């Protein structure tokens, strides 16, 4: 909460449109729920308008959805011509969650778990 106040002051703004929890895969599920509840607390007075998850696995999205009193507004995950999580994308469509992709130009192309040259930018 203190960090949000500090950010608002530094940026000279009154509210944040969306607060994303990044890299949820490194957060244990029990802590994820605690973090989400803390994030929800800053929406009550309008300092933060909406909440979302980034780099989230489907199980984490479902877990947060079960306890959320402030609904998830946005999922931001890898989405490129070469790789994306089809289950998460489908879940977002079915549950009317906004999905925002990053790496859409293929810059995050991953092959066999290791970064490789991007075929979009390396083609002659």
């Amino acid at each position: 909460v203190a960090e949000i106040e500090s950010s608002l002051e530094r940026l000279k703004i009154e509210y944040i449109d969306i607060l994303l929890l990044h890299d949820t895969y490194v957060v244990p599920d029990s802590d994820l729920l605690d973090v989400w509840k803390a994030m929800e607390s800053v929406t009550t007075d309008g300092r933060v308008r909406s909440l979302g998850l980034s780099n989230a696995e489907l199980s984490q999205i479902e877990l947060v959805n079960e306890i959320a009193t402030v609904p998830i507004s946005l999922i931001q995950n890898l989405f490129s011509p070469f790789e994306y999580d089809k289950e998460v994308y489908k879940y977002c469509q079915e549950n009317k969650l906004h999905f925002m992709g990053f790496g859409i130009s293929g810059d995050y192309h991953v092959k066999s778990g290791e970064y490789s040259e991007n075929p979009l930018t390396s083609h002659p």
Side-chain angles (χ1 to χ4, degrees), residues 40-94:
E40 286 183 328
S41 72
V42 296
T43 65
T44 56
D45 64 1
R47 291 178 288 179
V48 173
R49 301 274 171 99
S50 56
L51 304 174
L53 300 171
S54 181
N55 301 318
E57 297 175 355
L58 180 58
S59 62
Q60 295 172 314
I61 298 167
E62 291 173 327
L63 185 65
V64 169
N65 255 346
E66 288 176 18
I67 61 99
T69 56
V70 175
I72 300 170
S73 295
L74 175 76
I75 302 297
Q76 179 192 47
N77 277 9
L78 175 65
F79 190 89
S80 81
F82 311 106
E83 180 181 6
Y84 68 98
D85 188 329
K86 291 173 180 62
E87 288 182 329
V88 169
Y89 186 72
K90 181 180 178 186
Y91 182 87
C92 289
Q93 289 179 317
E94 291 172 349

Side-chain angles (χ1 to χ4, degrees), residues 103-122:
I104 59 172
S105 64
D107 290 340
Y108 282 86
H109 174 60
V110 177
K111 186 174 184 177
S112 303
E114 295 180 15
Y115 289 101
S116 64
E117 194 171 24
N118 182 345
L120 288 178
T121 58
S122 62

